[in-house]
Amino acid sequence: EVDFAYAIQGDLILQVQANPDLRVIAAAIPVTNFILHASMYDESSPWSNPLVRKAANMAIDREGINAAAYASLGYVSSSIIPHVMDFYWDAPKYEYDPEGAMALLEEAGYGGGFDGGDLNTASDNELAEFVQANLAAIGITVTLKPAERAAYLATIMEKNLTGLVLTGSGAPGNAASRLQQFVASGGALSYVKDDELDAEIASQASNLDAEARVAQLDAIQKKIYDEAMFLPIMEYPYPVVIGPRVDFDGVNAIPGNPYTGPYEKLSLKS
């Protein structure tokens, strides 16, 4: 009987796909899910070692998580910036390679694994347990620390968390605005403290040479990738279920809008 249902996940997507009377379409929205390394600058923490952060990235089965959580409707990338945004740099994909990850841990001096501290997460984030299991498979144990979403976002902004911080963003803008928020040391949600990146982010903001600015933004994103400053998971799909009465559904008719619209153009089958 449903005409529209929004943001279903997991097995519900598979049930919809198996029902010939229903359709499911992923709304193309600029939402990325990723992990901040909150202890990256604590020299006593294993997360301060780039090799450890690279190993963690190699341990994540992104395609498997995409299939289990989103019926493979998500977009797997190695960036905190959505691939649909202007100035996105297409970082090389992190291959799922647990054995290679364990070899990196060995090289970094953590061959037996280690206690990675907290995996801070919103209580409704379905990705946290997948990440925990993937890290455990290479010997990194993390403790889930869930919190109600609104309180959790406020806590992130206080910048007092340690360990790993599972978050994401659907804010509009482009790569530059995402870098300002999550990479510049003064960004509201940034746990990065890098003078070189701060200078480059400030410089590109006032650069009127379009080609030079693109080169700057590419270089910033490459440095973030090379040093594994984040643990990207995937771009979140927003699955919309469409019932049998609907003719024009309006999914993706308004760029960046997760819902159906414009409402005045929605129609039923005659």
Side-chain angles (χ1 to χ4, degrees):
E1 297 176 356
V2 70
D3 290 323
F4 295 107
Y6 303 102
I8 64 169
Q9 297 173 6
D11 290 343
L12 283 176
I13 302 176
L14 300 178
Q15 291 180 41
V16 169
Q17 291 175 331
N19 188 325
D21 292 328
L22 301 175
R23 294 179 288 139
V24 61
I25 300 176
I29 55 176
V31 177
T32 46
N33 292 293
F34 52 89
I35 285 175
L36 311 173
H37 289 290
S39 297
M40 184 163 56
Y41 298 99
D42 177 1
E43 293 184 0
S44 67
S45 170
W47 296 118
S48 65
N49 190 320
L51 291 179
V52 169
R53 299 194 298 268
K54 290 178 183 178
N57 268 292
M58 293 166 62
I60 303 303
D61 182 8
R62 293 170 177 82
E63 295 292 352
I65 294 174
N66 190 18
Y70 306 129
S72 297
L73 296 175
Y75 183 87
V76 173
S77 82
S78 299
S79 177
I80 66 170
I81 297 166
H83 74 288
V84 296
M85 277 190 169
D86 288 340
F87 310 123
Y88 164 81
W89 178 70
D90 190 9
K93 298 291 190 297
Y94 286 111
E95 297 296 333
Y96 175 49
D97 183 3
E99 291 186 2
M102 287 188 282
L104 275 184
L105 289 182
E106 182 76 36
E107 183 180 345
Y110 297 98
F114 61 89
D115 183 348
D118 292 331
L119 172 52
N120 300 278
T121 178
S123 55
D124 61 347
N125 195 323
E126 69 282 356
L127 300 180
E129 291 185 0
F130 291 112
V131 171
Q132 182 188 41
N134 281 170
L135 293 179
I138 66 165
I140 301 176
T141 59
V142 292
T143 302
L144 291 186
K145 190 175 181 182
E148 186 275 328
R149 180 167 291 274
Y152 179 56
L153 291 174
T155 304
I156 295 175
M157 294 176 70
E158 292 171 359
K159 302 185 181 181
N160 292 323
L161 296 174
T162 60
L164 304 179
V165 180
L166 178 57
T167 186
S169 177
N174 56 33
S177 57
R178 285 288 175 93
L179 294 171
Q180 184 63 52
Q181 184 179 34
F182 286 100
V183 179
S185 59
L189 298 169
S190 175
Y191 278 72
V192 177
K193 302 171 187 176
D194 188 299
D195 292 341
E196 179 184 339
L197 287 175
D198 281 348
E200 284 299 308
I201 290 171
S203 174
Q204 63 80 32
S206 59
N207 194 341
L208 300 181
D209 183 325
E211 186 174 337
R213 186 183 183 211
V214 168
Q216 281 184 292
L217 289 167
D218 284 354
I220 292 168
Q221 293 173 76
K222 185 177 186 302
K223 176 179 171 65
I224 292 168
Y225 174 84
D226 288 343
E227 298 183 17
M229 291 183 171
F230 296 87
L231 196 159
I233 303 174
M234 72 184 61
E235 295 180 25
Y236 169 67
Y238 194 84
V240 179
V241 179
I242 303 155
R245 300 196 312 155
V246 178
D247 185 14
F248 176 72
D249 55 65
V251 179
N252 293 319
I254 302 174
N257 177 36
Y259 303 106
T260 46
Y263 287 121
E264 64 271 19
K265 292 187 177 181
L266 301 183
S267 60
L268 301 177
K269 295 175 182 176
S270 56

